[in-house]
Amino acid sequence: MSEKDVLLSIENLVVEYSSDSETVHAVNDVSLQINKGQTLGLVGETGAGKTTIAKAIMRILPDPPARVTGGKIIMDDEDLLELKEDRMQKIRGNRISMIFQDPMTALNPTIVVGKQIMEAIALHEKVSSREACKKAEEMLEKVGIPKERYSDYPHQFSGGMKQRVIIAIALACNPELLLADEPTTALDVTIQAQVLDMMNELKQELGTSVLMITHDLGIVAETCDCVAVIYAGEIVEYGTAEEIFDHPLHPYTTGLFGSLPNMAKEGGRLKPIDGMMPDPTDLPEGCKFAPRCHYATEKCRQGRPELRNMGGSHVVRCTQR
Amino acid sequence: MFKFLVKRILWLIPVVLGVSVLIFTIMCFTPGDPARNALGADASQESIDEFNEKHGLNDPYLVRLGSFLKSTFPEFDLGTSYINGSSVSEQILSRLSYTLRITYIGILISIALGIPAGIIAATNQNTWKDSLSMVVSLFCASMPSFWFALLLVMFFALRLGWLPTVGVKSWTGYILPCVSIGIGGAASIARQTRSSMLEVIRQDYVTTAKAKGQSRSRIIWGHCLRNALIPVLTAIGGQMAVLVGSSLVCETIFSIPGIGSYLVTGVNQRDYPVVLGCVVILSLIFSLTMLCVDLMYAVVDPRFRNILKS
């Protein structure tokens, strides 16, 4: 990939949640690049730090307790982490926007949905409030909700419809980057497909780059160009979707695939990954996956393995490969 | 909506009726002799017997209760005072406006001080502003209103001479009584506003608003406040009850010719018709106010409007 295609690059990001008694190391030295027009999948277990990365990009981490203690997030040669709050407000919802996990709680229950979409437009585009209203109605239609429902309240919508409204809010100002934080986790499978299709269409139409955060490898296969696998706040494997799906290298990635039911293989048992994620307040030295890894040797437990290039864009953080 | 209103207004009947029966019963079994109070300590036995006969005080409890309910409810006649024979209904009507003014201005003061104080405390959580407003409100909430009234009189009326000590000849006379009954409510409302605001600030939709690029102050006023107000309304309803109670004492302290001071005199003199009349009217005012508070829920919370429709 050439340099000019990079939209946003995260360099050595470190995020910690600290309380009086302990420090949770949520994101440890993560570097990622999101290319223009592409979808990057961020895959990992609950608690791996996926949402924290997205919120760090938006700078909406709850502070306290969360604190970005190191790294840079570069967009257009500027470090977003250094920007003043009022500059950042002009970027949020406008150039970068976010879709949240739980549509049930992500909309304000006392404001009509149309107004919640209109708010984003009125903030970032120099239009009269009537034009903003009209644009909000168009957005509703675009996500498949009749514009007559502009003045309905969130409780009058189903979960899938609410998620559509949230997507409409996120896409209202044609963002360059969309952070989709498990956008379909809270939805029925049938609705999931609809929402993903719709996101794909809108992405094509608007040319938006997407950071797709998920733990669902099916969604990754369907939507992503590149995949980053994250474990205990660290990128353990990165590559194009083909590289990752055809030749998963890191034992954790293979473990994730082993945890998927496979209809093609008859009678095969699932191979879940043994054990639990390490306690993020007390991460193991060396490879963080070593305690759960069948291939782990003494070497793995000493010193953190570096990311090694395996050809193409495929990189893996494992001493054994 | 209409159906809800009718239903709620019909509910007033058993409430007011129940309160009347309860108060009548309590008055009946409270020691004290209305005749002695009305006629004076040196009245003759004949005149006392005549008084009791005239007002039906010798009748059994149920007969008296029956005649009280009959005259009060179908006929809206609250009777006449034992002491001076004046009509209780007329007295209450002429005093009603003072009491309404004091309690409603009082609750407005509570809201006007309490909600902003709660918001300031919540948005500056764990700073000196938060601690200061919470310490002040704890102090105000735990202070009895009559004591606060006396302090206010001492300072603003006697020491500084800015405001009249008693009476309501001009609007300045209302300041001290309204403030003294409003301040306790302000404290409770501030504490409720703070906690529900802190609850709301943590909600996902506040993060959504932030992710849209909305500024902090617009988020607080535009997104949080309305949601935070829902439990605050409940607190305001509760404060109304407390306020009606403290207005009785405050009217006496400040010699305001309202229902409260009338009721207190009535109780002291065992003037049954006055006490019963005042209580019936106060319970009616209180119930109607609570109805308004309930309707406010519908204004603030759209989910409540559905309940009204169905």
Side-chain angles (χ1 to χ4, degrees):
Chain A
M1 74 194 97
S2 65
E3 272 303 309
K4 68 173 167 34
D5 289 337
V6 176
L7 174 68
L8 180 126
S9 79
I10 302 173
E11 291 169 15
N12 308 97
L13 183 70
V14 181
V15 184
E16 288 172 354
Y17 292 89
S18 47
S19 67
D20 294 338
S21 51
E22 56 190 15
T23 303
V24 172
H25 302 277
V27 177
N28 307 305
D29 194 18
V30 163
S31 298
L32 274 178
Q33 290 191 334
I34 301 169
N35 299 331
K36 281 184 182 149
Q38 283 201 327
T39 300
L40 170 66
L42 194 55
V43 187
E45 281 169 89
T46 306
K50 296 169 296 186
T51 304
T52 305
I53 292 176
K55 287 191 171 171
I57 296 173
M58 291 288 265
R59 290 216 348 227
I60 52 173
L61 283 167
D63 177 20
R67 245 162 33 104
V68 177
T69 49
K72 289 177 180 170
I73 297 174
I74 309 280
M75 190 179 189
D76 282 350
D77 301 325
E78 269 185 311
D79 185 359
L80 296 185
L81 298 173
E82 303 274 309
L83 286 185
K84 288 226 172 67
E85 177 61 23
D86 58 332
R87 291 265 328 269
M88 197 60 212
Q89 278 172 14
K90 293 202 172 73
I91 291 178
R92 278 189 211 121
N94 187 20
R95 298 186 62 195
I96 309 177
S97 62
M98 187 160 172
I99 299 175
F100 293 91
Q101 227 175 93
D102 187 0
M104 297 304 171
T105 56
L107 291 172
N108 189 331
T110 58
I111 300 180
V112 298
V113 295
K115 224 181 142 200
Q116 298 192 44
I117 303 173
M118 188 266 247
E119 188 187 1
I121 298 165
L123 269 172
H124 298 297
E125 291 179 14
K126 288 189 178 62
V127 291
S128 68
S129 59
R130 181 172 302 167
E131 283 169 74
C133 267
K134 222 173 145 251
K135 184 131 192 261
E137 285 178 350
E138 283 166 20
M139 279 316 294
L140 272 178
E141 298 261 319
K142 215 179 248 179
V143 296
I145 297 173
K147 66 169 184 264
E148 288 71 32
R149 302 205 61 183
Y150 184 94
S151 306
D152 282 352
Y153 287 94
H155 70 268
Q156 291 161 301
F157 289 84
S158 67
M161 296 279 259
K162 279 187 205 163
Q163 192 61 298
R164 284 160 187 267
V165 173
I166 291 162
I167 292 172
I169 294 174
L171 294 177
C173 298
N174 299 353
E176 292 157 57
L177 174 62
L178 179 65
L179 309 173
D181 183 8
E182 310 206 15
T184 57
T185 307
L187 304 178
D188 280 344
V189 185
T190 45
I191 312 292
Q192 279 187 12
Q194 284 180 22
V195 168
L196 285 177
D197 283 347
M198 193 188 73
M199 280 181 61
N200 264 340
E201 269 167 42
L202 293 172
K203 186 194 135 196
Q204 302 292 329
E205 192 186 323
L206 307 169
T208 313
S209 311
V210 181
L211 179 67
M212 177 67 76
I213 296 171
T214 182
H215 53 246
D216 185 337
L217 289 166
I219 291 176
V220 176
E222 215 169 299
T223 58
C224 298
D225 305 301
C226 294
V227 184
V229 182
I230 184 169
Y231 183 78
E234 241 174 29
I235 304 284
V236 293
E237 189 166 4
Y238 174 89
T240 63
E242 292 79 28
E243 284 164 345
I244 299 285
F245 276 80
D246 297 344
H247 311 284
L249 289 176
H250 197 281
Y252 178 63
T253 317
T254 46
L256 282 182
F257 284 109
S259 310
L260 283 181
N262 190 342
M263 300 296 277
K265 271 192 222 156
E266 208 168 314
R269 280 186 158 270
L270 289 182
K271 290 194 213 70
I273 305 170
D274 294 333
M276 302 276 285
M277 276 241 298
D279 178 1
T281 60
D282 183 23
L283 290 174
E285 264 180 64
C287 174
K288 294 180 177 58
F289 188 62
R292 297 168 78 180
C293 182
H294 294 302
Y295 310 103
T297 61
E298 207 42 50
K299 195 179 165 202
C300 300
R301 296 190 181 89
Q302 300 160 347
R304 179 182 178 223
E306 291 301 313
L307 280 173
R308 289 194 298 137
N309 198 315
M310 306 303 290
S313 56
H314 201 162
V315 289
V316 64
R317 192 186 296 282
C318 183
T319 52
Q320 304 294 312
R321 301 283 164 173
Chain B
M1 178 71 193
F2 181 71
K3 225 171 121 189
F4 172 84
L5 265 183
V6 171
K7 207 168 112 189
R8 283 298 306 266
I9 289 172
L10 287 178
W11 261 107
L12 291 181
I13 298 171
V15 168
V16 175
L17 210 65
V19 169
S20 314
V21 171
L22 195 68
I23 294 300
F24 185 89
T25 312
I26 292 172
M27 288 304 285
C28 242
F29 297 104
T30 314
D33 187 352
R36 283 272 175 220
N37 274 303
L39 303 173
D42 48 357
S44 65
Q45 192 56 46
E46 292 84 60
S47 56
I48 285 175
D49 289 341
E50 190 194 345
F51 179 92
N52 284 341
E53 195 58 42
K54 184 179 155 205
H55 293 104
L57 291 173
N58 294 330
D59 295 337
Y61 163 72
L62 283 177
V63 176
R64 283 164 60 197
L65 177 65
S67 68
F68 157 69
L69 290 179
K70 187 163 156 281
S71 71
T72 309
F73 289 106
E75 296 160 24
F76 297 109
D77 178 11
L78 296 174
T80 55
S81 161
Y82 289 165
I83 308 293
N84 52 26
S86 62
S87 156
V88 173
S89 314
E90 272 173 27
Q91 279 285 339
I92 286 179
L93 271 182
S94 72
R95 288 161 173 270
L96 187 61
S97 63
Y98 293 105
T99 300
L100 289 184
R101 240 172 271 165
I102 287 177
T103 43
Y104 287 122
I105 296 175
I107 197 79
L108 286 180
I109 289 176
S110 302
I111 295 170
L113 291 179
I115 291 181
I119 294 173
I120 289 170
T123 50
N124 297 287
Q125 196 193 2
N126 301 330
T127 64
W128 66 270
K129 287 179 193 165
D130 183 19
S131 318
L132 179 73
S133 63
M134 283 306 107
V135 167
V136 169
S137 75
L138 181 65
F139 178 72
C140 294
S142 24
M143 198 164 45
S145 66
F146 67 86
W147 183 67
F148 191 65
L150 293 174
L151 281 186
L152 286 180
V153 169
M154 260 173 60
F155 192 71
F156 287 100
L158 300 178
R159 171 87 51 95
L160 297 174
W162 290 352
L163 297 165
T165 37
V166 293
V168 281
K169 288 195 188 70
S170 73
W171 64 271
T172 48
Y174 283 103
I175 295 176
L176 292 184
C178 293
V179 168
S180 59
I181 65 169
I183 205 85
S188 310
I189 290 172
R191 299 184 77 79
Q192 178 65 59
T193 308
R194 176 181 182 270
S195 69
S196 71
M197 202 70 184
L198 285 177
E199 183 76 22
V200 168
I201 285 175
R202 280 194 286 268
Q203 296 291 319
D204 286 349
Y205 54 80
V206 175
T207 315
T208 309
K210 205 173 171 198
K212 277 180 214 174
Q214 193 59 279
S215 66
R216 185 173 157 81
S217 61
R218 294 289 261 324
I219 291 174
I220 299 289
W221 294 100
H223 283 270
C224 299
L225 183 58
R226 197 158 162 189
N227 288 289
L229 276 183
I230 298 163
V232 174
L233 271 180
T234 315
I236 292 175
Q239 280 309 311
M240 278 308 294
V242 178
L243 223 73
V244 170
S246 24
S247 76
L248 306 188
V249 184
C250 272
E251 281 179 20
T252 315
I253 291 175
F254 290 100
S255 308
I256 295 164
I259 296 179
S261 52
Y262 192 42
L263 176 60
V264 172
T265 337
V267 171
N268 285 337
Q269 299 177 326
R270 298 291 180 274
D271 199 344
Y272 295 165
V274 172
V275 175
L276 292 168
C278 290
V279 170
V280 168
I281 294 300
L282 285 178
S283 68
L284 199 63
I285 293 172
F286 180 68
S287 310
L288 284 173
T289 311
M290 290 311 271
L291 176 61
C292 294
V293 171
D294 283 357
L295 289 177
M296 285 300 290
Y297 279 117
V299 176
V300 174
D301 188 352
R303 286 163 292 188
F304 196 80
R305 277 171 235 165
N306 279 32
I307 304 172
L308 290 193
K309 275 185 208 139
S310 58

